[in-house]
Amino acid sequence: MYDFRPAPDTPKPETYRQLLDAADALTAGEPDAVANMANIAALLWDFLPDLNWSGFYRVVDGQLVLGPFMGRPACIRIPLGQGVCGIAASEGKTQLVEDVHAFPGHIACDAVTNSELVVPVARDGHVIAVIDLDSPEPARFDAEDAAGIEAVAAMLSTRI
Ligand code: SME
């Protein structure tokens, strides 16, 4: 049985240290990318409060394709450069969006989403996937969240 959830009221930096350790432990030595993405999507969902979606889009044949996730069914294909995910993938840069309704081109997969964090996963200098977190809370994510998810993305580079 796995139970990696942090204790209630754990400070955010400590939460992300524990999350990185748990993500490392869950994926170390496992070569199956789908299994690893599935467990990380579930881990993010368990660890981070106030999410309505956590998961992956993978770069496949020049577009983003839905990967393992927790939450409601979502848009399946997103062109690079479109939406928050497509921009994160095409620019190779984290997108921290406090208000998705003010983000030009945001793709609404679930009307309850108000804020979003998208972090690219790169291997050998190329974006291979993005980690997408959505929240119904406005401005749910900050620079600490971005840094914490970027550390997970770096660790996953050769595991997904
Ligand atoms: N909102 C994203 C689409 C993916 S869903 O949030 C799961 C975007 O604008 O790219």
Side-chain angles (χ1 to χ4, degrees), residues 46-80:
D46 252 4
F47 255 75
L48 304 174
D50 302 321
L51 301 184
N52 61 297
W53 206 88
S54 64
F56 291 82
Y57 280 87
R58 299 157 299 130
V59 178
V60 180
D61 295 335
Q63 61 182 329
L64 288 175
V65 182
L66 183 64
F69 68 92
M70 299 285 284
R72 303 187 71 189
C75 326
I76 299 168
R77 292 176 185 269
I78 299 176
L80 295 180

Side-chain angles (χ1 to χ4, degrees), residues 53 55-57 59 64 78-93 95 97 103 105-107 109 116-120 127 129-134:
W53 206 88
F56 291 82
Y57 280 87
V59 178
L64 288 175
I78 299 176
L80 295 180
Q82 291 189 21
V84 185
C85 291
I87 289 173
S90 63
E91 296 186 357
K93 284 189 192 146
Q95 303 294 309
V97 182
F103 188 97
H106 167 253
I107 298 166
C109 292
E116 181 160 4
L117 174 64
V118 182
V119 174
V127 176
V130 299
I131 299 173
D132 183 17
L133 301 177
D134 291 349

Side-chain angles (χ1 to χ4, degrees), residues 19 23 30 45 48 50 88:
L19 173 60
E30 173 49 64
W45 184 263
L48 304 174
D50 302 321

Side-chain angles (χ1 to χ4, degrees), residues 134-152:
D134 291 349
S135 174
E137 300 297 318
R140 157 67 181 80
F141 306 102
D142 62 16
E144 284 185 334
D145 295 291
I149 300 301
E150 284 168 354
V152 173

